[in-house]
């Protein structure tokens, strides 16, 4: 049965600022809530008796770290668990599908080697092992190597933006995979109850911060791609969210305070005549209403370290 969709929470920003006055307690409460959601998910997976977990979520939803957190929780409950990424199954760059402007459509499911994915999933269910391809992102091509995955007696978590697309599991026995959708479920309002900060705003800010820290991309580069990313989510990810057996909320209430400080230096970063200047300044302005919290307050084992951890 499909999971019951969790409605988004709309929280007035001033309540977050009040909670942030006791930083340690606020952070710990949010982290504990997330860890509880992970352990509940592990229990649901074990109860289902299924060997394969398909886990997806939109960009900057924290799906990759959530997949590894889930694997750890399953291990603590007595089952070995391994994570594989659908990114391993990208085709070579010369055969990527193209967008109308001729650029590569990385978010299109046809950029993946579907027969290879289906074969690997079938082998994991029937034989408890498979050979995974290895993709080199610097050359955007498949290497000659393979990675052997032995999953005997354990659970395999497959994470990626297309994990819930029925094409992935069409050749498998019915109900052979447990499906999870990871996404933020908390938004923020002004004093009048009007939404001022959406989950997409938060994910965009997460991605901008991560891209600056870990990928050498400027905020301008991330923001310029964001509309295309969102279009891809609507076409390839969110349309399948009702396929999920379980929904994991990846929102942390204190995160907006961390972003308040990290986004502030981006105000006025682009010249006024730049086509993205107003958009970037407006996004920074929405975060400016929250009290600033230094990223050092984030625990080292937090899922949020995927976005705000040190480069080293």
């Amino acid at each position: 049965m499909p999971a019951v969709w969790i409605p988004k929470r709309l929280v007035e920003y001033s309540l977050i600022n009040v909670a942030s006055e006791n930083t340690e307690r606020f952070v710990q409460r949010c982290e504990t809530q997330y860890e509880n959601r992970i352990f509940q998910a592990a229990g649901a997976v074990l109860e289902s008796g299924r060997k394969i977990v398909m886990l997806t979520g939109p960009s900057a939803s924290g799906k990759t770290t959530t997949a590894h957190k889930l694997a750890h929780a399953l291990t603590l409950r007595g089952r070995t668990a391994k994570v594989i990424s659908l990114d391993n199954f990208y085709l070579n760059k010369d055969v990527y599908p193209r967008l109308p402007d001729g650029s590569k459509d990385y978010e299109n499911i046809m950029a993946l080697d579907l027969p290879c994915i289906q074969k690997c999933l079938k082998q994991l269910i029937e034989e408890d092992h498979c050979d995974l391809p290895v993709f080199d992102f610097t050359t955007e091509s498949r290497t000659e190597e393979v990675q052997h995955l032995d999953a005997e007696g354990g659970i395999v978590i497959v994470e990626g933006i297309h994990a819930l697309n029925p094409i992935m599991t069409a050749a498998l026995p019915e109900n052979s995979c447990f499906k999870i959708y990871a996404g933020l479920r908390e938004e923020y309002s002004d004093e009048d109850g009007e939404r001022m900060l959406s989950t997409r705003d938060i994910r965009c800010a997460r991605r901008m911060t991560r891209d600056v820290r870990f990928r050498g991309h400027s905020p301008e580069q991330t923001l310029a791609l964001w509309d295309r990313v969102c279009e891809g989510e609507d076409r390839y990810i969110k349309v399948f969210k009702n396929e999920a057996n379980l929904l994991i909320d990846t929102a942390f209430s204190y995160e907006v305070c961390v972003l308040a400080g990290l986004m502030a230096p981006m105000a006025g970063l682009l010249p006024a005549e730049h086509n993205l200047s107003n958009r970037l300044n407006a996004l920074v302005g929405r975060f400016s209403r929250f009290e600033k919290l230094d990223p050092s307050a984030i625990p080292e084992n937090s899922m949020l370290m995927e976005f705000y951890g040190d480069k080293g």
Side-chain angles (χ1 to χ4, degrees):
M1 291 290 292
V4 176
W5 190 240
I6 302 170
K8 289 181 180 177
R9 305 179 296 280
L10 188 62
V11 180
E12 186 182 331
Y13 81 95
S14 62
L15 297 178
I16 299 298
N17 288 339
V18 171
S20 71
E21 294 173 4
N22 190 332
T23 299
E24 185 175 350
R25 183 177 178 182
F26 186 29
V27 169
Q28 189 54 55
R29 180 175 177 81
C30 295
E31 293 291 337
T32 299
Q33 288 174 337
Y34 172 78
E35 292 296 335
N36 287 342
R37 294 194 286 267
I38 293 295
F39 273 86
Q40 289 169 5
V45 170
L46 291 173
E47 187 177 349
S48 75
R50 301 173 195 177
K51 294 181 181 180
I52 306 291
V53 175
M54 305 296 288
L55 188 152
T56 195
S59 176
S61 61
K63 60 183 174 294
T64 301
T65 303
T66 293
H68 286 277
K69 290 276 190 181
L70 177 59
H72 180 64
L74 288 166
T75 301
L76 291 177
R77 297 186 68 154
R79 288 290 296 278
T80 59
K82 298 179 180 179
V83 178
I84 63 176
S85 172
L86 288 177
D87 288 353
N88 285 350
F89 295 90
Y90 269 115
L91 296 166
N92 291 340
K93 60 183 178 181
D94 56 332
V95 293
Y96 284 166
R98 301 283 168 166
L99 292 163
D101 63 4
S103 59
K104 299 167 192 168
D105 188 359
Y106 295 102
E107 318 239 341
N108 193 317
I109 192 171
M110 301 312 294
L112 300 176
D113 188 342
L114 294 176
C116 185
I117 294 169
Q118 293 165 343
K119 177 184 176 182
C120 286
L121 293 177
K122 195 168 188 293
Q123 286 182 326
L124 286 169
I125 289 174
E126 296 177 354
E127 305 170 27
D128 285 328
H129 66 86
C130 72
D131 288 330
L132 301 171
V134 177
F135 189 81
D136 184 346
F137 282 91
T138 59
T139 62
E140 293 188 68
S141 59
R142 184 86 55 88
T143 71
E144 304 258 339
E145 304 172 52
V146 294
Q147 178 185 355
H148 184 72
L149 178 64
D150 184 351
E152 185 174 358
I155 293 168
V156 176
I157 301 168
V158 182
E159 68 90 8
I161 62 173
H162 297 293
L164 296 195
N165 191 313
I167 294 175
M168 293 287 171
T169 53
L172 303 180
E174 189 175 359
N175 296 324
S176 57
C177 298
F178 192 85
K179 299 179 179 181
I180 296 177
Y181 187 97
L184 288 75
R185 306 308 299 161
E186 185 164 289
E187 300 185 313
Y188 304 94
S189 71
D190 60 19
E191 302 90 337
D192 300 319
E194 294 294 323
R195 186 179 72 164
M196 69 176 198
L197 199 64
S198 69
T199 56
R200 270 192 168 163
D201 288 335
I202 297 164
R203 290 192 295 107
C204 181
R206 273 184 178 182
R207 182 161 166 156
M208 290 170 72
T209 303
R210 180 187 64 191
D211 286 356
V212 167
R213 286 177 170 238
F214 303 129
R215 301 183 180 181
H217 295 172
S218 68
E220 175 190 352
Q221 288 173 296
T222 304
L223 196 57
L225 290 172
W226 187 242
D227 284 346
R228 182 175 292 179
V229 169
C230 293
E231 288 170 10
E233 292 171 1
D234 291 338
R235 280 187 294 161
Y236 302 123
I237 304 174
K238 294 193 172 185
V239 291
F240 300 117
K241 65 186 179 184
N242 289 330
E243 296 281 329
N245 301 108
L246 180 73
L247 306 159
I248 296 181
D249 181 5
T250 56
F252 293 74
S253 298
Y254 77 88
E255 181 183 9
V256 288
C257 296
V258 174
L259 281 167
L262 293 175
M263 295 293 288
M266 299 184 193
L269 186 66
L270 299 177
E273 63 273 14
H274 195 287
N275 66 317
L276 293 174
S277 176
N278 289 340
R279 188 170 173 182
L280 178 59
N281 290 339
L283 181 62
V284 174
R286 291 196 287 277
F287 281 102
S288 70
R289 305 187 73 172
F290 296 93
E291 294 295 327
K292 294 180 180 64
L293 184 61
D294 193 272
S296 63
I298 303 173
E300 289 186 3
N301 65 343
S302 173
M303 184 275 279
L304 292 178
M305 293 298 279
E306 177 180 337
F307 306 100
Y308 312 115
D310 293 331
K311 289 183 180 180

